[in-house]
Amino acid sequence: MIIKVLGSGCKRCLTLGDNVAAALGNLGMQAEIVKVTDYGEIAAHGVMSTPGLAIDDKVVSVGNVLSPAEIEPLLQAAR
């Protein structure tokens, strides 16, 4: 599983990345977390409001800093 945090590297994007890592830990799952900061690649995912979150190249959140509890069901569904 590859999880992409799409954003400029701002505080909200970093927090989302930390929350993804926490959710993975809570579920005992492992995945590669990739931080995408290239605006062209972010736009190619259809994300116009950051941060964005994509699991295996499927965008599951745009413009929100999801909590670990909100991320966990998304990860479980992507298994």
Side-chain angles (χ1 to χ4, degrees):
M1 179 182 306
I2 298 174
I3 302 168
K4 293 182 181 178
V5 177
L6 308 160
S8 64
C10 66
K11 181 171 176 45
R12 290 170 42 92
C13 300
L14 296 174
T15 300
L16 181 58
D18 291 343
N19 290 350
V20 167
L24 287 167
N26 291 346
L27 295 172
M29 294 175 64
Q30 292 185 342
E32 180 181 357
I33 301 172
V34 178
K35 295 181 181 175
V36 178
T37 58
D38 178 74
Y39 289 109
E41 189 174 345
I42 293 168
H45 280 84
V47 174
M48 297 299 157
S49 178
T50 60
L53 182 65
I55 300 174
D56 291 332
D57 281 329
K58 179 183 175 195
V59 176
V60 295
S61 175
V62 175
N64 298 307
V65 179
L66 301 176
S67 69
E70 293 170 312
I71 296 168
E72 289 171 15
L74 299 173
L75 295 173
Q76 290 173 323
R79 277 189 187 181

